[in-house]
Amino acid sequence: DKDFEDILTILRKLPKSNTMASHEPNAPNPTIIAGLGNPGTTYRHTYHNTGFLFLDFLMKKENGEATLRVKTLAAKGFAYAKRGTKNLVWPLSFMNISGAPIAHALRYLKAKSVELLIVHDDSDLDLGTYKISFGRGAAGHHGIESIIHNLKTNEFWRLRIGIRPKSDSARATKRPKAKTLVMKKISDKDAALFKTVFEKAAQELGL
């Protein structure tokens, strides 16, 4: 019938939706900021615990003291603290199996994966730099692999903080293995670099 054909003609002329092309939100607006690291004093000030150190920075950002109340849910494998409209989350497991605690945190705090920001070290980025990304693969980071596996999606935000010494970037053939690099204790000089990066990243993210 002619009326039906006319409707089909109109529909064909409508611009096609690109919804399926990308699910990436326009800008990060996380309600959950989860830092990755390893528990225990042995790992406390290592480069691999950069995610935990960023949460410590946010805890102290308001008035220089960690005054937020941290609630530990041992049975679910994570601890969290309320900071305004945001929740700071610490997985209680080792980094490489942090996916299950992160999944529990999302369910408990009733959040979607797109509301999640994972903060972690990145040995492919230079010290003093960071990148905010969405929907990326793990690129060999076992903590991220675990999170993607447990959430069954990579549609979450990441704050990737560089830990690679710049001198190693220039001499790629002599770069230490990531496993060796991440377990080193952070030097005082690099701690100052991290503080600057934390300040810049928090400002960009509105934290």
Side-chain angles (χ1 to χ4, degrees):
D1 126 339
K2 188 176 183 305
D3 289 340
F4 182 70
E5 289 178 356
D6 289 343
I7 292 172
L8 286 177
T9 300
I10 292 170
L11 289 174
R12 290 191 188 104
K13 292 180 179 179
L14 290 174
K16 294 182 179 180
S17 170
N18 63 355
T19 303
M20 296 302 292
S22 173
H23 294 93
E24 179 176 347
N26 293 328
N29 184 28
T31 59
I32 295 179
I33 299 101
L36 298 190
N38 287 316
T41 56
T42 302
Y43 305 100
R44 182 169 294 166
H45 293 107
T46 61
Y47 291 89
H48 216 24
N49 272 32
T50 301
F52 282 179
L53 295 175
F54 183 75
L55 294 190
D56 290 345
F57 167 80
L58 292 181
M59 290 274 284
K60 298 173 183 177
K61 185 170 179 282
E62 300 303 322
N63 56 11
E65 296 182 7
T67 57
L68 300 180
R69 180 186 173 191
V70 178
K71 183 176 182 180
T72 300
L73 301 177
K76 296 186 180 296
F78 73 93
Y80 76 100
K82 192 83 173 174
R83 183 179 181 269
T85 60
K86 314 291 186 183
N87 288 289
L88 310 183
V89 170
W90 293 259
L92 300 178
S93 66
F94 281 91
M95 183 186 291
N96 290 357
I97 53 172
S98 54
I102 294 295
H104 283 308
L106 284 182
R107 287 192 290 270
Y108 182 83
L109 297 168
K110 297 179 173 58
K112 300 176 182 177
S113 68
V114 294
E115 299 174 80
L116 171 66
L117 173 72
I118 298 291
V119 186
H120 65 89
D121 63 298
D122 193 319
S123 61
D124 290 329
L125 298 179
D126 285 344
L127 273 164
T129 67
Y130 70 92
K131 286 187 178 181
I132 297 168
S133 57
F134 180 88
R136 286 175 55 93
H141 194 289
H142 298 312
I144 298 298
E145 287 174 355
S146 177
I147 293 168
I148 292 173
H149 174 75
N150 280 270
L151 297 184
K152 295 179 173 55
T153 182
N154 65 354
E155 291 193 343
F156 53 86
W157 291 95
R158 287 160 62 185
L159 170 56
R160 300 155 52 212
I161 298 175
I163 63 169
R164 171 72 60 186
K166 292 184 179 180
S167 58
D168 291 328
S169 298
R171 300 192 308 272
T173 56
K174 297 182 180 179
R175 286 167 61 171
K177 292 182 179 180
K179 186 176 180 180
T180 302
L181 176 64
V182 298
M183 293 304 176
K184 290 175 64 176
K185 293 288 185 180
I186 297 172
S187 67
D188 291 341
K189 179 183 177 181
D190 289 350
L193 275 176
F194 279 129
K195 185 175 185 296
T196 299
V197 168
F198 292 169
E199 289 170 347
K200 289 179 179 178
Q203 182 177 17
E204 182 174 348
L205 290 162
L207 302 176

